[in-house]
Amino acid sequence: MPPLAFKPDSSFFEKIALGAVGSRHVAQDLERLGHQIVELERGAMDTKLWKDVKRKRVRIPDLVCKLCGLRVESRAKTKAELSMSHSFSAHERAWDFGMVDTDVVAFPVCTKDKDQEKQWCIGRLNDQNSYWHERNRIQWQPQGKVNYIRVGQFRDVPHDEASTKGVAEASETSISWKSRFSRRNGFVEAVSGQKITLTRAGDGHRHTQTIPPKIKIVVDRGDQVALNQIIASRVRPETDNHLRCSQELTDCQLLQLLSSRERTQRFTGVKLARLRLRRSDSLTNTIASLERDQEEDMYVRLEAAAYLVAICDMGAQDLFMPYLMHSDEQIQLEAVISLGEAGTQECVSLLSTILNDAERPYFTRSAAAWSLSRSNDSQSCQCLVQAFGDVNPNLREEALEGIVRLHSDAVPWLLSGLQEENPAIAAGCAEALRQHGALPADVIDALTGQLAGENPSKWAVWLAGHLPREYLAGAVADLQETAPELHYAITVLWSFAESWIARHWELQPGANFPPMGNAQ
């Protein structure tokens, strides 16, 4: 069993969220140097997990610049340190597995906003039935400087310390390199021997650090420094000038990646060719040969199939069906995700078919819903709305989460869905609109029109009562004369939504739940 399997769900998800926030911050930070950063490893900037199928990842750097090909591994931390998880016995779990010397490791620091953190839990015992429910809302805040260090630097300098994490962290090993970090924004006032004096911006407060002899000072007198920036280290951090995007990525460079003996380099080459919309005979022939190679890594082959469909207009049905019908569930799952990344209209149709096929395993239908939510296509919206009526309650929740991500593209379908005869679909549309956030004026007008019409949908009424009062105050006030019962129902819902009990409300744990297949 892989070590992550021992982590409690809450601990695991918190670390996944920390990693995703850190990766997003790194992507934004590198934009100031001219990079256009996208995910290289799927899920690096997201928290989507499929627990039913164990995903054996490629172990590839998280991010890549689509303009120059720079690969970046993000290692988010809750405090400034240069540490990484490592295995001394399993080669594929080594800290640098799949990376090359020119890759960069980024160390963003993200802390919990204590003012925004919300924790709530409740436990009850009813006869012999015990019940525990917990909610934990955390807002992560990137703090200070992101430090960047080349993989080659780490490989040239032996790590200083190794420690074993606790059971909640799957007893993994952590290795670290000694460094010192600035505790403030300011500038270097003096460097004398192994002492650094920093002056804080704003109030001019001075602070002197004594650096141990084996740690090299990497700042000079007069340098500007930021909170969490490395000021001394056994490994050399990269400067902005060294990290600036060259914005050069030729077909020759892509072909070099595609012919590399390192599989993550081949994967990178195929993905960059697709993202850059690069098509040539040499690239097409090379990538097609990778897709046909039965000995090639499956992730590389699937990425090659996505390129051939998206860039070379090859048929998705013919290319992807062997992967979708594969006996290995992991390959089926990755094939659905790759199909979504290819993103053609044929791919959307295939994903819709998978989502609607009740005979397929849940994880493939879930992945289809997730992929459709990234397509911004009218067919995707329609398919996700119809999934609210599926007999599988978990799939309904997947469709809900997915369609909320589509934001304004899905709104017309959701408004129409409020009138659906199937109450499960109407309920899903109402909840999706509630989660949408600030609804535009035309949507409010459309909802008002539904309320003012004859026999409005009960889910339109429910939605009105769960939107902020100021959205519909005028229109609902008008109902006091024309539809007093409707006016009363909406104002009661507003009173509940604005009360303190709504913050922690949930269905009574001892209530008799209807069978999940019949729940509406």
Side-chain angles (χ1 to χ4, degrees), residues 130-145:
S130 63
Y131 172 85
W132 178 259
H133 189 102
E134 179 178 355
R135 295 176 187 163
N136 187 3
R137 295 183 182 273
I138 298 173
Q139 186 173 82
W140 294 101
Q141 294 288 353
Q143 295 285 337
K145 172 79 172 179

Side-chain angles (χ1 to χ4, degrees), residues 95-107:
W95 73 266
D96 58 347
F97 184 79
M99 290 193 276
V100 297
D101 284 353
T102 54
D103 292 337
V104 171
V105 184
F107 293 90

Side-chain angles (χ1 to χ4, degrees), residues 28-39:
Q28 293 172 355
D29 184 59
L30 288 173
E31 287 179 3
R32 65 188 173 82
L33 300 177
H35 295 281
Q36 288 186 18
I37 300 295
V38 295
E39 280 187 350

Side-chain angles (χ1 to χ4, degrees), residues 43 50 53 60 82 104 119 216 236 248 312 342 362 368 371 402 418 429:
W50 282 276
V53 178
I60 193 170
L82 301 183
V104 171
Q119 293 183 333
K216 182 180 179 181
R236 185 186 70 249
E248 293 181 0
C312 303
Y362 166 71
S371 297
L418 291 174
C429 291

Side-chain angles (χ1 to χ4, degrees), residues 231-282:
I231 57 176
S233 178
R234 293 192 61 230
V235 290
R236 185 186 70 249
E238 294 294 299
T239 66
D240 283 356
N241 285 336
H242 290 142
L243 283 174
R244 204 167 298 278
C245 183
S246 66
Q247 301 193 359
E248 293 181 0
L249 188 62
T250 64
D251 284 2
C252 181
Q253 291 172 301
L254 290 174
L255 287 169
Q256 287 179 343
L257 290 171
L258 295 173
S259 61
S260 172
R261 296 179 63 182
E262 169 55 60
R263 65 173 180 166
T264 68
Q265 292 280 71
R266 298 193 298 276
F267 180 91
T268 303
V270 179
K271 186 155 194 171
L272 286 172
R274 176 170 62 82
L275 294 174
R276 292 292 298 268
L277 306 178
R278 299 288 270 275
R279 179 175 180 175
S280 67
D281 290 343
S282 56

Side-chain angles (χ1 to χ4, degrees), residues 66 214 238 307 327 360:
K66 61 187 291 187
K214 293 184 179 181
E238 294 294 299
Y307 170 87
S327 59
R360 282 189 174 271

